[in-house]
Amino acid sequence: MTTEQDQWRELGQQLRVDSIRSSSAAASGHPTSSMSAADLMAVLISKYLHYDFGSPDDPRNDHLIFSKGHASPLLYAIYKATGAIGDEEMLTFRKFGSRIEGHPTPVLPWVDVATGSLGQGLPIAVGVALAGKRLDRLPYRVWALCGDSEMAEGSMWEAFEHAGVEGLDNLTAIIDVNRLGQTGETMHGWDLEAYRRRAEAFGWNAITLDGHDVADIDRALTAAVETSGPTVLIARTEKGHGVKAVANQPGRHGKPLDDPDAAIAELGGLRDIHVDVPKPAFEGRPHRFPTAELRLPVYEPGTSEATRKAFGDALVALGRARSEIVAIDGEVGNSTYTEEFAEALPERFFQAYIAEQQMVAMAVGFQVRGWRPFAATFAAFLSRAYDFVRMAAISRANISLVGSHAGVSIGEDGPSQMALEDLASLRAVHGSTVLYPSDANQTAALVPQMADRAGIVFMRTTREKTPILYEPGEAFVIGGARVVRQSPEDAVTLIGAGITLHESIKAADALRSDGIAARVIDLYSVKPIDAETVRAAARETGAIVTVEDHWPEGGIGDAVLEVLAAEQPHPLVTKLAVGGMPTSGTPAELMAAAGIDAHHIAEAARELVSRTGGRERSTSEVGGRRRE
Amino acid sequence: MTTEQDQWRELGQQLRVDSIRSSSAAASGHPTSSMSAADLMAVLISKYLHYDFGSPDDPRNDHLIFSKGHASPLLYAIYKATGAIGDEEMLTFRKFGSRIEGHPTPVLPWVDVATGSLGQGLPIAVGVALAGKRLDRLPYRVWALCGDSEMAEGSMWEAFEHAGVEGLDNLTAIIDVNRLGQTGETMHGWDLEAYRRRAEAFGWNAITLDGHDVADIDRALTAAVETSGPTVLIARTEKGHGVKAVANQPGRHGKPLDDPDAAIAELGGLRDIHVDVPKPAFEGRPHRFPTAELRLPVYEPGTSEATRKAFGDALVALGRARSEIVAIDGEVGNSTYTEEFAEALPERFFQAYIAEQQMVAMAVGFQVRGWRPFAATFAAFLSRAYDFVRMAAISRANISLVGSHAGVSIGEDGPSQMALEDLASLRAVHGSTVLYPSDANQTAALVPQMADRAGIVFMRTTREKTPILYEPGEAFVIGGARVVRQSPEDAVTLIGAGITLHESIKAADALRSDGIAARVIDLYSVKPIDAETVRAAARETGAIVTVEDHWPEGGIGDAVLEVLAAEQPHPLVTKLAVGGMPTSGTPAELMAAAGIDAHHIAEAARELVSRTGGRERSTSEVGGRRRE
């Protein structure tokens, strides 16, 4: 008669064998990093994980996140053992067209988030666990399998800090301390106490154990479930455990085994154990917050308001109307104006403190559970979480990011606080949306659309108050542009957004007094861009000045040039952007120094018109042909 | 008779008064965050800091880094007290044209690095301290003034971890625990023990103290100098200390005082104390490593090699030839090939483990002391340190970053490991250089130039082996491009770099069999770009296909479009880039799926030629005019 512990041991061996088989079939992958954690996972999935693999969307399911995403062979071996996938599919690991990818992605319905950039799974697990406690209010548990190498990532300690402060007793981290990183020993090797000291200092329960002793694992997991506060299991393991040729050997990271058949024989051969993972053991539905009708804020044309304030106002309105809206801020809520949401809807506001990686990870974790987060900080500081945003796109996460204090127009604080690369970096995220509203009513109109849009949705807001241009209630769709000045005589087009739209309007006024009619386009949707409006302006005016409070690379100018790439006739295009390192100064001084104020726009327009011949040119002629 | 302690107290009051004066003159800034740390700094600069303000380049100088850069009024008040700047200049704080910027930058000769994005000063200080111990081998000390809010940044714990592991007894962090962040209380308020537990767990000596008691500060600083290992002073302070209207009050962050005159009176009025900061008290010159003649590696045309390997080879050669070259890796040295440097020149190799923020911070710290670091990891994971790179540009830092495993061509590992946004994000860094070599000999030729170039210099390397195209010793300059195929009949230009150059060459071969002559340009220098070569190709062929293993935004295609923005006639341009989320697969499968292989390049070229009319078109005609 086999005991439960024997079954766990056997399952551990099966998970090892299958990790070897899939990576050998792929001729790549990380079997040894999988083998170290196999016993930990065998006990977890047999007794502690509560998950209905037939209903991955059941809100009562636990969450199992492989923070060490390269142990994907182990994860897929688990899926096979549970019956979620078949053996044949498991062996398509890393093959083109297979959903059994090199690192886990949510192409598989049981995978919450993509991992593989180390140090991200645990911070996201904190977000899911926080959703369980404060949003869903359901007693599911979150399990994160972590590598020891990734403990060097600061983001892991942001996660430890937040989980500790929030007292997340529904979160268990399991550190697979196999001692060996990709190239050598980790900082702390098998010094389990080093991890214990750190974890306890950050307010966690820490349990050290032998990660290959199923009784010890069982004891530790029982303790994790019973303790209050977050718990970390610090498990001493061997990389490649069970196969002498690779066990605890350097130089065996990320490689299939040299002799998989011998290894499988050494592990006792193939097995076909099916695991009945416990199903969720409670009843309950996710909590929903009371809602009311959506009443967006309105701003009186002729007055002025900052778009960051309009964002804050609109977010409160949206939150009141929709239960799933939540807000997170990086401890600058009085700058981004999420403070209004915090005051109005405190149950759905989360303080990320000065920890932007954890902020974005929390957002990703919330959306795993169907909540719709808006995470806000200075746009410059979103750069701190760029890898998290990159991975969020691979996770197919639906999150909104809002960055205030864009560009040199913030003034005196100087370049460290100025976002000048945010449009470029966030445009270069797959499937992203990049909005840069120019007016408070427009901002308010866009905020609800952000919550309905798939992917990474970024809004850049402006620190300074700017004139209200549009009537309350005017329609602005993502992917649109607004022509704010237009006439049949237009000899040049000025394209700006945010603060530079207002400079463009001033420039158009100045040009009019020179007898030059200028079209002005509000490119509030930088990605997707309204290609038709831009192309029509190109055809009809033959000359375009783009202007942005951003470095020259990757922003509005490049977005415009891209849609004109194959246009014939092609307009003359002058890109105005911030050319030199800014300093402190007033917004006006800095915009002038950067060459992006009305004066410089008008100058650039005049120069272009002098080359195209302006209105002497008929619209049927080749656009932008030199007339000198 | 005034005692030393009385003098320190008086100096502390002066630093407060001057912080109030400068921020009031600016009508912005952070006086209250300066006032909390004034006593700490008064004692430090009077007795412990060793620095010759007349010789900021003296290698024996200590380093004082304000990790809480927003306390800049305090820093400038210190500079005034030392005589480095006059009172009048101090009062130009935040004014346009002044070097007394909102947050410190190295425009001032006494500022090592720009700060103001929290959580960066201490990691950089770790780099400087490490340079002191292992490179310069001089006993200068590094002092970092940290805020309590920024302790939430994971990067701080990367710094604690590295300093602890490296045993940096020349490093002292001073945490100004004033309890209040920008919007509210920090996570730990005045719980000094919370910080102590964390710091000690990370292997630091931790000393708690009253940050307004100069005797206690003196005692703590003495202990910091005497202890082995890194030391942190955890100082309980009051934000706005000394002025009742603001002391320990919420809502006083980042604002000048309402009544500065009353506050100054309350603090005892203006003072004009001059501090004689102790000068460096030892003799010695920075260590230099033995050097030999530069012998770059050579690769035989007709064979194949990966550019990442050529980088590794060339870096060793450069390191042997130049003492100031150092290498840092994010624990993937067998992927980036810095492992060769680690083996050949172990004294100048630094393991950053899986802590990319600390890796870049270390590089910035090394270059503060004149060393020339190359920091390498997978290009995808440089995104983890994007804020550090952004700030490094503001620091006018000269560092080289090398990212391997670019694009979908890495194959089976899947999207988490693929850099697809690195060209965009690193082009959008002020003054950056972006290289993407296509051949091993070319890579070797570029590596020494990276070490001579100012600013952030990024090289993207390729995982796969690619054919050697160029002879050893051929000249390739930063800012150049290489025309690898050219004829008077060229009807289209193909522009690629790295892996896509090789696909472009294959496409040109295929096109030739269709009777279409294609020019092929190796755009190995993406920024700066060789505008003349691109423009000449545009004029002479009228049709351009750009192709890159990168998202469509912000990379090679956009760099090409930018230099063509005002070209008339304008060529037809088709941009090929990675359009959909990649999966796992072979490099060839993934490049085909992404639409960036030779087949797709040739298709795009044929389509363009069908529109331009190809060689029916004479080069004197308008480029790219439709002939249909």
Side-chain angles (χ1 to χ4, degrees):
Chain A
M1 192 189 103
T2 59
T3 66
E4 191 176 38
Q5 292 187 6
D6 289 336
Q7 289 171 344
W8 295 339
R9 278 185 212 103
E10 278 296 293
L11 177 59
Q13 296 295 74
Q14 171 173 315
L15 297 177
R16 284 189 184 89
V17 166
D18 284 346
S19 296
I20 291 169
R21 292 172 65 228
S22 62
S23 48
S24 290
S28 74
H30 299 77
T32 58
S33 305
S34 298
M35 293 159 77
S36 55
D39 300 311
L40 292 161
M41 292 299 103
V43 181
L44 179 73
I45 64 171
S46 300
K47 182 169 168 186
Y48 294 92
L49 179 72
H50 289 75
Y51 196 95
D52 184 350
F53 277 89
S55 293
D57 293 332
D58 189 325
R60 301 170 306 154
N61 281 335
D62 280 0
H63 295 265
L64 172 59
I65 295 175
F66 266 41
S67 196
K68 52 175 296 188
H70 58 287
S72 53
L74 174 60
L75 186 64
Y76 302 141
I78 290 171
Y79 291 164
K80 177 202 148 180
T82 64
I85 63 173
D87 192 69
E88 199 173 338
E89 182 169 15
M90 186 186 75
L91 296 178
T92 64
F93 181 47
R94 293 178 165 240
K95 296 277 196 299
F96 185 70
S98 168
R99 57 183 187 165
I100 310 297
E101 296 190 28
H103 292 74
T105 78
V107 168
L108 289 168
W110 316 284
V111 175
D112 287 325
V113 290
T115 50
S117 181
L118 290 172
Q120 300 205 15
L122 183 65
I124 292 168
V126 168
V128 179
L130 204 50
K133 301 295 276 188
R134 288 181 50 193
L135 296 170
D136 288 327
R137 303 181 185 178
L138 291 176
Y140 55 74
R141 299 192 64 83
V142 183
W143 310 90
L145 176 65
C146 307
D148 48 351
S149 278
E150 68 178 328
M151 299 306 292
E153 286 285 10
S155 56
M156 295 298 272
W157 297 104
E158 294 182 19
F160 267 81
E161 186 71 286
H162 281 256
V165 166
E166 300 279 355
L168 297 178
D169 59 9
N170 56 344
L171 175 65
T172 305
I174 302 171
I175 310 179
D176 175 20
V177 186
N178 66 22
R179 191 183 72 83
L180 294 170
Q182 174 170 330
T183 68
E185 190 164 56
T186 63
M187 276 180 170
H188 301 300
W190 270 330
D191 182 2
L192 304 190
E193 292 303 316
Y195 297 106
R196 182 212 287 273
R197 281 193 299 275
R198 286 160 175 74
E200 288 180 346
F202 278 76
W204 284 50
N205 307 303
I207 302 170
T208 57
L209 67 150
D210 177 345
H212 300 307
D213 177 338
V214 293
D216 206 23
I217 297 167
D218 186 34
R219 172 192 64 82
L221 286 169
T222 295
V225 172
E226 289 173 354
T227 51
S228 63
T231 299
V232 57
L233 271 54
I234 303 164
R236 178 184 161 123
T237 62
E238 271 190 344
K239 199 159 178 168
H241 183 74
V243 174
K244 282 206 182 64
V246 295
N248 195 30
Q249 297 296 311
R252 293 292 174 172
H253 181 91
K255 292 174 183 168
L257 269 61
D258 293 335
D259 189 343
D261 292 338
I264 292 166
E266 188 179 344
L267 290 164
L270 295 189
R271 292 163 182 81
D272 196 14
I273 304 169
H274 176 80
V275 183
D276 278 320
V277 174
K279 298 254 188 327
F282 62 88
E283 292 304 314
R285 308 269 317 145
H287 179 74
R288 293 292 175 258
F289 295 90
T291 56
E293 199 186 344
L294 177 63
R295 298 176 69 92
L296 288 174
V298 297
Y299 307 93
E300 195 62 36
T303 67
S304 287
E305 190 51 276
T307 55
R308 60 178 171 139
K309 177 68 163 62
F311 157 70
D313 297 345
L315 188 64
V316 171
L318 186 67
R320 288 200 169 112
R322 291 170 58 169
S323 166
E324 77 275 22
I325 303 297
V326 298
I328 318 170
D329 202 283
E331 223 284 282
V332 290
N334 55 349
S335 292
T336 60
Y337 282 101
T338 62
E339 66 176 6
E340 300 181 14
F341 192 100
E343 192 174 326
L345 301 161
E347 291 179 292
R348 281 184 275 156
F349 177 79
F350 295 84
Q351 180 57 267
Y353 297 94
I354 309 284
E356 294 81 8
Q357 296 184 101
Q358 183 58 56
M359 179 180 75
V360 173
M362 214 183 281
V364 173
F366 290 168
Q367 67 84 44
V368 163
R369 286 291 314 120
W371 300 91
R372 185 70 211 210
F374 283 74
T377 182
F378 284 29
F381 304 143
L382 287 174
S383 64
R384 197 60 154 269
Y386 191 43
D387 193 25
F388 281 73
V389 176
R390 179 183 77 86
M391 289 297 298
I394 303 175
S395 290
R396 283 69 169 173
N398 300 317
I399 60 173
S400 295
L401 303 174
V402 178
S404 68
H405 290 67
V408 303
S409 66
I410 69 163
E412 289 78 0
D413 266 333
S416 65
Q417 319 295 302
M418 297 169 176
L420 289 164
E421 61 297 304
D422 54 327
L423 298 178
S425 56
L426 291 161
R427 280 180 71 233
V429 168
H430 180 63
S432 68
T433 299
V434 176
L435 306 174
Y436 184 15
S438 308
D439 160 284
N441 286 316
Q442 185 182 58
T443 303
L446 291 168
V447 167
Q449 297 175 60
M450 295 176 74
D452 291 324
R453 194 159 173 92
I456 312 299
V457 186
F458 169 59
M459 175 180 275
R460 180 189 225 214
T461 64
T462 299
R463 178 176 187 269
E464 298 298 293
K465 289 187 181 186
T466 48
I468 307 300
L469 301 172
Y470 306 118
E471 294 292 331
E474 279 194 55
F476 293 95
V477 298
I478 292 174
R482 175 61 63 99
V483 180
V484 293
R485 295 285 175 91
Q486 183 168 24
S487 80
E489 289 75 37
D490 291 342
V492 61
T493 301
L494 314 179
I495 302 180
I499 196 99
T500 62
L501 176 70
H502 299 276
E503 296 299 312
S504 298
I505 292 169
K506 287 186 227 165
D509 290 342
L511 289 166
R512 181 169 305 275
S513 54
D514 297 349
I516 298 173
R519 183 168 305 183
V520 180
I521 295 177
D522 175 0
L523 201 76
Y524 64 85
S525 179
V526 180
K527 179 185 176 187
I529 187 172
D530 182 347
E532 277 322 299
T533 296
V534 171
R535 288 182 187 137
R539 281 193 305 273
E540 292 161 21
T541 71
I544 293 179
V545 179
T546 67
V547 53
E548 58 199 307
D549 195 354
H550 187 274
W551 297 128
E553 296 88 3
I556 290 172
D558 284 0
V560 166
L561 286 173
E562 169 157 39
V563 299
L564 299 174
E567 284 295 291
Q568 294 287 345
H570 194 283
L572 286 173
V573 180
T574 297
K575 264 176 64 174
L576 300 180
V578 177
M581 182 58 74
T583 60
S584 291
T586 65
E589 287 167 340
L590 295 177
M591 293 187 69
I596 59 168
D597 65 349
H599 171 75
H600 286 87
I601 298 167
E603 279 295 297
R606 284 186 200 102
E607 198 271 336
L608 283 189
V609 171
S610 76
R611 290 173 63 188
T612 59
R615 293 313 305 164
E616 298 166 46
R617 213 182 118 277
S618 96
T619 51
S620 61
E621 287 179 283
V622 174
R625 211 162 72 192
R626 289 174 195 242
R627 293 301 179 103
E628 301 89 338
Chain B
M1 192 188 105
T2 59
T3 66
E4 193 177 35
Q5 292 188 7
D6 289 337
Q7 288 170 346
W8 295 338
R9 278 184 210 104
E10 279 296 291
L11 177 59
Q13 295 295 73
Q14 171 173 314
L15 297 177
R16 285 189 182 88
V17 166
D18 284 345
S19 296
I20 293 169
R21 291 172 64 227
S22 62
S23 49
S24 290
S28 74
H30 299 78
T32 59
S33 305
S34 298
M35 293 159 77
S36 56
D39 301 311
L40 292 161
M41 291 299 104
V43 181
L44 179 74
I45 65 172
S46 299
K47 184 171 169 185
Y48 294 93
L49 178 73
H50 288 76
Y51 195 96
D52 185 349
F53 277 89
S55 293
D57 293 332
D58 189 326
R60 301 169 308 154
N61 280 336
D62 281 358
H63 295 265
L64 172 59
I65 295 175
F66 267 41
S67 195
K68 53 176 294 187
H70 58 288
S72 53
L74 175 59
L75 186 64
Y76 302 141
I78 290 172
Y79 291 162
K80 177 202 146 178
T82 66
I85 63 172
D87 193 69
E88 200 172 336
E89 183 169 14
M90 186 186 74
L91 296 178
T92 64
F93 181 49
R94 293 176 164 244
K95 295 277 196 300
F96 186 69
S98 168
R99 56 182 188 165
I100 311 298
E101 296 189 29
H103 292 73
T105 78
V107 169
L108 289 167
W110 318 285
V111 175
D112 286 325
V113 289
T115 51
S117 181
L118 289 172
Q120 300 206 14
L122 183 65
I124 293 168
V126 168
V128 179
L130 203 49
K133 301 295 276 189
R134 287 181 48 193
L135 295 171
D136 288 328
R137 304 180 184 179
L138 291 176
Y140 54 74
R141 298 192 65 81
V142 183
W143 310 89
L145 177 65
C146 307
D148 49 352
S149 278
E150 68 178 327
M151 299 306 292
E153 287 283 11
S155 56
M156 296 298 271
W157 297 103
E158 294 183 19
F160 268 80
E161 186 71 284
H162 281 257
V165 166
E166 300 279 356
L168 297 177
D169 59 7
N170 57 344
L171 174 65
T172 305
I174 302 170
I175 310 179
D176 175 22
V177 186
N178 65 23
R179 191 184 70 86
L180 293 170
Q182 173 170 328
T183 68
E185 191 166 56
T186 63
M187 277 181 169
H188 301 300
W190 270 328
D191 181 1
L192 303 189
E193 292 304 316
Y195 297 107
R196 183 213 285 275
R197 281 193 301 274
R198 287 160 174 73
E200 288 179 346
F202 278 76
W204 283 50
N205 307 301
I207 301 168
T208 56
L209 68 151
D210 177 345
H212 300 307
D213 176 338
V214 293
D216 207 21
I217 297 167
D218 187 33
R219 171 192 65 81
L221 287 168
T222 295
V225 171
E226 289 173 355
T227 51
S228 63
T231 301
V232 57
L233 272 53
I234 303 163
R236 179 183 161 123
T237 62
E238 271 190 343
K239 200 160 179 169
H241 183 74
V243 174
K244 282 206 182 64
V246 295
N248 195 29
Q249 296 296 311
R252 293 293 175 174
H253 181 91
K255 293 173 185 168
L257 270 60
D258 293 336
D259 189 343
D261 292 338
I264 292 166
E266 188 179 344
L267 290 164
L270 296 189
R271 293 161 179 81
D272 195 13
I273 303 169
H274 176 81
V275 182
D276 279 317
V277 174
K279 297 254 189 327
F282 63 88
E283 291 305 314
R285 308 270 313 147
H287 179 73
R288 291 293 174 258
F289 295 90
T291 55
E293 199 185 343
L294 177 64
R295 299 175 68 92
L296 288 175
V298 297
Y299 307 92
E300 196 62 35
T303 67
S304 287
E305 190 50 277
T307 55
R308 60 179 171 137
K309 176 70 163 62
F311 157 70
D313 298 344
L315 189 64
V316 171
L318 186 66
R320 288 199 169 112
R322 291 170 57 169
S323 166
E324 77 275 23
I325 303 297
V326 298
I328 319 170
D329 202 283
E331 224 284 282
V332 290
N334 55 350
S335 293
T336 60
Y337 282 102
T338 62
E339 67 178 6
E340 301 182 14
F341 192 100
E343 190 174 327
L345 302 162
E347 292 180 292
R348 282 183 274 155
F349 178 79
F350 296 83
Q351 180 56 266
Y353 297 94
I354 310 283
E356 294 80 9
Q357 295 184 101
Q358 183 57 56
M359 180 180 75
V360 172
M362 215 183 281
V364 173
F366 290 169
Q367 66 85 44
V368 163
R369 286 292 314 121
W371 300 92
R372 185 71 212 210
F374 283 73
T377 183
F378 283 29
F381 304 143
L382 287 174
S383 64
R384 197 61 154 268
Y386 191 43
D387 194 23
F388 281 73
V389 176
R390 179 183 79 87
M391 289 296 298
I394 303 175
S395 290
R396 283 71 170 172
N398 301 317
I399 60 173
S400 294
L401 302 174
V402 178
S404 67
H405 290 66
V408 302
S409 66
I410 69 164
E412 289 77 3
D413 266 333
S416 65
Q417 319 294 304
M418 297 170 176
L420 288 164
E421 60 298 304
D422 54 325
L423 298 177
S425 57
L426 291 162
R427 279 179 71 231
V429 168
H430 180 62
S432 67
T433 298
V434 176
L435 306 175
Y436 185 15
S438 307
D439 160 286
N441 285 316
Q442 184 184 59
T443 304
L446 291 167
V447 167
Q449 297 175 59
M450 294 176 75
D452 291 323
R453 194 159 173 91
I456 312 300
V457 185
F458 170 59
M459 175 180 275
R460 180 188 225 217
T461 64
T462 299
R463 179 177 187 268
E464 299 299 293
K465 289 189 180 186
T466 48
I468 308 300
L469 301 172
Y470 306 119
E471 294 292 332
E474 278 194 56
F476 293 96
V477 298
I478 292 174
R482 176 61 63 99
V483 180
V484 293
R485 295 285 175 91
Q486 184 168 25
S487 79
E489 290 74 35
D490 290 342
V492 61
T493 300
L494 314 179
I495 302 181
I499 195 97
T500 61
L501 176 70
H502 298 277
E503 296 299 311
S504 298
I505 291 170
K506 286 185 228 165
D509 290 342
L511 290 166
R512 181 169 305 275
S513 52
D514 298 349
I516 298 172
R519 182 168 305 183
V520 180
I521 295 177
D522 175 1
L523 200 76
Y524 64 85
S525 180
V526 180
K527 180 185 176 187
I529 186 172
D530 181 348
E532 277 320 300
T533 295
V534 171
R535 288 180 187 140
R539 281 193 306 272
E540 292 161 21
T541 70
I544 294 180
V545 178
T546 66
V547 53
E548 58 199 305
D549 195 354
H550 187 273
W551 298 128
E553 297 86 3
I556 290 172
D558 284 0
V560 166
L561 286 174
E562 170 157 38
V563 299
L564 299 175
E567 285 294 292
Q568 293 288 346
H570 194 284
L572 286 173
V573 180
T574 297
K575 265 175 63 173
L576 299 181
V578 177
M581 181 60 73
T583 60
S584 291
T586 65
E589 286 167 342
L590 295 177
M591 293 187 69
I596 59 169
D597 65 349
H599 172 76
H600 286 87
I601 299 167
E603 279 296 297
R606 284 186 200 101
E607 198 272 337
L608 283 189
V609 170
S610 76
R611 290 173 63 190
T612 59
R615 293 312 305 162
E616 299 167 43
R617 203 185 126 280
S618 95
T619 52
S620 61
E621 286 176 284
V622 173
R625 211 163 71 192
R626 290 174 194 243
R627 293 299 179 103
E628 301 88 334

